[in-house]
């Protein structure tokens, strides 16, 4: 099995994602608010996928010892650098999650639920219990629970599959659709536009290719690992489509009430 084979197998799901009806209903600022209030949880849980990979592929405990594969460690450390400590439009060091929160604040989207979740986790409440305490679409909760289910496998190639084919490899295309089919080019959305363009730049030019190399390194000649990667990638894309379905239904229901 190879990366090209995986991408061929995943193409129908990627096409479904890239042509999703959600993009066509992001017509005004209220729609974008509803989108961001759910999508922020995917921005947040992405960092847990990333950190799980860093824990598996680099030395994060003391005393330090060399890792088995320095090239894979370099891949993940470069991605961590960009995601956890990038620069915003003002040149300030920010994680992409913090940039997203700033973009939400700029358009006065509600950040109460994501802050509530983080507060619960800081108090030691489990992710399952914390999600029950916030008001979210069931599809959003399912998306986050899938992320942590994969993390709990504690298997690097499985975590990398969800990370690469469920996130890094599809983000440039998804965000390109959001920018082009909604009105996020208005000054009102300047922080969101910067965030989206920054992701397109990093994930398309740097992080995406690095992630594909990481998959090759982790799977090697192990057919079972390649099959795991394909299955988990399909699941990850289906959960993303489910997340988009839920947000689409939320926006259309809101528009129906407003009408």
């Amino acid at each position: 099995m190879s990366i090209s084979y995986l991408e061929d197998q995943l193409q129908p799901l990627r096409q479904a994602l890239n042509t999703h009806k959600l993009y066509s209903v992001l017509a005004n600022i209220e729609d974008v608010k509803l989108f961001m209030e759910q999508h922020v949880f995917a921005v947040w849980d992405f960092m847990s996928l990333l950190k799980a990979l860093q824990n598996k592929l680099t030395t994060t405990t003391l005393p330090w010892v060399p890792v088995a594969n320095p090239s894979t460690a370099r891949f993940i450390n470069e991605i961590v650098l960009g995601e956890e400590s990038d620069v915003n439009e003002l040149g300030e060091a920010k994680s992409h999650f913090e940039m997203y929160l700033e973009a939400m604040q700029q358009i006065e989207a509600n950040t109460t639920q994501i802050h509530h979740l983080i507060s619960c986790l800081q108090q030691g409440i489990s992710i399952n219990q914390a999600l029950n305490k916030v008001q979210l679409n069931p599809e959003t909760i399912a998306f986050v629970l899938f992320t942590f289910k994969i993390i709990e496998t504690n298997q690097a190639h499985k975590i990398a599959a969800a990370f690469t084919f469920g996130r890094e490899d599809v983000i440039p295309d998804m965000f390109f659709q959001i920018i082009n089919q909604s009105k996020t080019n208005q000054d009102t959305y300047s922080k969101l536009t910067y965030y989206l363009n920054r992701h397109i730049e990093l994930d398309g030019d740097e992080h995406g290719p690095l992630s594909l190399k990481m998959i090759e390194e982790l799977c090697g000649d192990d057919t079972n690992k390649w099959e795991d990667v394909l299955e988990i990638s399909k699941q990850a894309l289906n959960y993303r489509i489910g997340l988009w379905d839920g947000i689409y239904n939320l926006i259309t229901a809101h528009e129906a009430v407003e009408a």
Side-chain angles (χ1 to χ4, degrees):
M1 204 176 291
S2 65
I3 292 294
S4 59
Y5 176 80
L6 289 179
E7 292 188 324
D8 285 344
Q9 293 297 305
L10 297 174
Q11 185 55 36
L13 288 172
R14 292 187 57 159
Q15 180 65 14
L17 194 54
N18 291 336
T19 57
H20 198 282
K21 55 191 176 183
L22 168 64
Y23 307 123
S24 66
V25 298
L26 294 173
N28 56 56
I29 196 165
E30 293 305 317
D31 300 334
V32 175
K33 284 181 184 179
L34 290 172
F35 169 80
M36 296 185 78
E37 287 164 8
Q38 299 293 318
H39 179 243
V40 67
F41 287 85
V43 177
W44 169 77
D45 80 348
F46 171 83
M47 289 304 299
S48 291
L49 270 179
L50 178 57
K51 285 299 183 177
L53 278 175
Q54 190 177 36
N55 288 340
K56 293 296 294 182
L57 303 177
T58 71
T59 300
T60 56
T61 56
L62 297 175
W64 180 89
V65 294
V67 294
N69 193 326
S71 62
T72 304
R74 180 179 176 84
F75 295 159
I76 203 66
N77 281 333
E78 286 188 13
I79 295 172
V80 169
L81 176 64
E83 297 289 344
E84 193 171 34
S85 53
D86 200 5
V87 291
N88 65 10
E89 76 280 10
L90 302 175
E92 301 167 335
K94 298 278 183 179
S95 69
H96 285 183
F97 174 69
E98 290 168 310
M99 289 185 200
Y100 200 87
L101 286 180
E102 288 181 346
M104 291 181 70
Q105 291 160 0
Q106 183 183 43
I107 66 169
E108 299 182 347
N110 190 340
T111 60
T112 301
Q113 295 305 320
I114 185 63
H115 284 304
H116 187 194
L117 178 76
I118 292 172
S119 175
C120 288
L121 296 173
Q122 288 171 333
Q123 295 171 43
I125 297 173
S126 72
I127 184 65
N128 294 57
Q129 292 175 315
L131 285 169
N132 286 331
K133 292 178 177 292
V134 296
Q135 297 176 353
L136 291 175
N137 280 352
E139 296 88 352
T140 305
I141 292 175
F143 183 92
V144 175
L145 289 177
F146 171 74
T147 296
F148 283 90
K149 176 184 174 183
I150 296 303
I151 290 171
E152 287 166 7
T153 68
N154 203 32
Q155 296 183 59
H157 70 289
K158 292 182 178 180
I159 300 170
F163 178 87
T164 299
F165 293 106
R167 307 295 183 108
E168 292 296 286
D169 203 40
V170 297
I171 282 174
D173 289 340
M174 285 191 315
F175 285 175
F176 180 80
Q177 296 297 335
I178 291 171
I179 285 177
N180 281 276
Q181 294 192 38
S182 68
K183 298 179 181 178
T184 53
N185 59 342
Q186 296 180 20
D187 290 342
T188 310
Y189 306 96
S190 62
K191 289 184 179 293
L192 176 60
T193 302
Y194 177 87
Y195 170 88
L196 296 175
N197 280 321
R198 187 66 178 146
H199 256 290
I200 290 170
E201 176 187 355
L202 284 176
D203 295 333
D205 296 341
E206 299 176 28
H207 294 177
L210 287 175
S211 297
L212 295 176
K213 290 180 182 177
M214 177 176 62
I215 291 288
E216 291 178 327
E217 294 277 355
L218 290 173
C219 292
D221 297 324
D222 191 325
T223 302
N224 289 333
K225 286 186 176 180
W226 282 104
E227 290 175 352
D228 286 344
V229 166
L230 177 58
E231 178 57 30
I232 288 169
S233 299
K234 287 180 178 179
Q235 291 177 30
L237 289 170
N238 276 314
Y239 275 102
R240 172 72 71 168
I241 291 168
L243 176 65
W244 267 202
D245 287 344
I247 299 174
Y248 171 83
N249 292 335
L250 186 68
I251 291 172
T252 53
H254 180 263
E255 289 175 348
V257 170
E258 291 295 306

